[in-house]
Amino acid sequence: MNILLITDSFYPEISGISTVAESITELLIERDHKVTVCTNRYKKTLNLPNVNYVQMNLYSKPLWLPTYTVSLLKLNYDIYDQIIINGTSAVIVAGLVLGKKILSKSIVLVHGFEVEWVYESSTLASKFLQYRLMHHRALKYCKSIITVSEFYKTKFISRSKLFYLKDKIKVSHIGIDFNIFHSDKNVEVQKRLKELAKDRDILISVSRIVEKKGYFNMLNAFKKIVDRNNNLVWIIVGDGPYKRVLDEKIKEYGLQDNIYMLGAIERYDLRYYYSGANCFWLLSDYDENLPLVYLEAQACGIPAIGWNKGGVVETISSESGFLVNTIEECVDIIADKKYCNKKRNDILKFAFTFQKDSFIKATIDDKGNIYVATGMLGVVQKFNKNGDFIKSILIKDDIDMIKNERDGIHVYAGKFDYTDYHITEKKIIEKEISETDLDHIKSGPNELVIGNFWIFKGKITIQKQQNCSDNRRRRNWKLM
């Protein structure tokens, strides 16, 4: 497929929107899709070969809207099979610029800023320029809406009052790429951390340095922690407008020998710093949607601490870290080094449930051919029993389930009305089915789910498959 990704930010910018955009692009490239990224600023990376880029020359406030609009008006949307719109500003402008036909082949990603910035905003610009109207139009006519946490889906629907969109909004956790985030050592980074720590335990935080990320409250908490246990250092990774203020506060509190701000670090090098630390903590004031930094840290084998609210609760388990309700609770955990009680295997086990490919359904036909269904894109990819790519099969709806029935492979898809797509050797036979029919089909024993697989350069490698619907017939197998 030829896919256009319109995104507010992209690599090398460090932000949740940028991370999601990069992850989606990498996933699509691995599956042999052709991708064009349309963004304001980008840097080509070896990790994303064969990506086309369209540079948008956007101005900052107050001219972002007209320059964004002009940039999107220049694009030829007819050449793309699918469009992904990532970021609040991108969705607003898409609602203004794109026609219903183009929006009908578009997937909108909502991240967590829409409620406050669009639907509840009282600013003159928001009201005068009708951000809500434009954003709502994009959601109304797009193919589907994706959010990355149950928390934000509930929050968005209730506070935007767009209750009719409930069934159109799908939750799809953005997985962690274990090729990037895993326990790993780097000699230079180890040496650097050892010099800073001086045999003390290392706490680490990674984010943009902005006031709402909670750094002022964390600084006050850390002062209390050090008063009780001075055998700790705090490493802060990131950059942003609050960095200078935070640095001054650190000096004012006399904590220069306990807190070190390292600035921005390449995403692909973060695992060395996570792996060299003892615990990750971040007490953000935002109602975070699905903050990936907690998962990245846990994927590298260290426990995480965060507020017991918002999407953070979906990223930390009782076995992998701590969800705290008060600053005092956090101070006790760190000062008493309770994070040392978390077992590394439990941390990794939880993190692995967010593996990038673990949200994709798959099944096998009677000849051993593998069918991998990507629900977000409405695509089924067929591989032979040796893992070699055969072809892509385009399904026109969001895929709910794929099964090997007696008469062959069936894909069940839809948003409000459901369709049974029967894949035969020569054609796809479509049949409308009811929600009751779908519930009956789901109760059958033949749905197979692949648990740990990688698609790279047209080849699939599968480590494990389970029949999750019938424990009596559960089996494991390997394909190399």
Side-chain angles (χ1 to χ4, degrees), residues 5 28 52 67 84 135 142 158 160 166-167 177 183 209 239 249 264 309 325 339 349 373 375 385 409 414 476:
L5 171 62
L28 295 173
N52 297 317
T67 52
I84 301 173
H135 196 276
C142 71
S158 62
S160 69
K166 180 180 178 180
D167 293 329
D177 190 339
S183 183
I209 312 298
D239 208 343
K249 285 288 184 182
K309 68 171 187 173
N325 297 296
Y339 52 82
K349 182 179 179 180
K385 62 183 179 181
I409 301 298
N476 298 334

Side-chain angles (χ1 to χ4, degrees), residues 9 29 148 210-211 229 259 274-275 342 353 416 444:
S9 61
I29 290 296
V148 295
V210 295
E211 187 173 5
N229 183 351
I259 304 176
Y274 285 135
S275 300
K342 299 301 177 182
T353 63
F416 305 107

Side-chain angles (χ1 to χ4, degrees), residues 71 124 195:
S71 296
L124 182 62
E195 290 174 349

Side-chain angles (χ1 to χ4, degrees), residues 374-391:
T374 308
M376 178 178 167
L377 297 171
V379 175
V380 175
Q381 289 183 297
K382 183 179 179 181
F383 299 81
N384 66 22
K385 62 183 179 181
N386 296 317
D388 298 311
F389 175 76
I390 298 176
K391 64 178 179 179

Side-chain angles (χ1 to χ4, degrees), residues 162-223:
L162 300 177
F163 300 105
Y164 79 97
L165 293 176
K166 180 180 178 180
D167 293 329
K168 192 176 184 179
I169 300 176
K170 310 293 184 182
V171 176
S172 177
H173 295 113
I174 299 299
I176 297 299
D177 190 339
F178 279 74
N179 285 319
I180 299 175
F181 294 103
H182 57 270
S183 183
D184 199 2
K185 302 295 183 182
N186 176 279
V187 175
E188 291 184 5
V189 173
Q190 276 186 292
K191 182 180 178 181
R192 184 182 189 188
L193 293 177
K194 187 175 181 179
E195 290 174 349
L196 295 176
K198 299 174 184 175
D199 296 323
R200 295 172 289 180
D201 277 14
I202 298 175
L203 301 176
I204 188 169
S205 301
V206 178
S207 77
R208 291 194 70 236
I209 312 298
V210 295
E211 187 173 5
K212 293 285 284 182
K213 281 294 183 180
Y215 281 102
F216 183 71
N217 286 333
M218 291 172 71
L219 182 60
N220 286 328
F222 189 71
K223 189 175 188 305

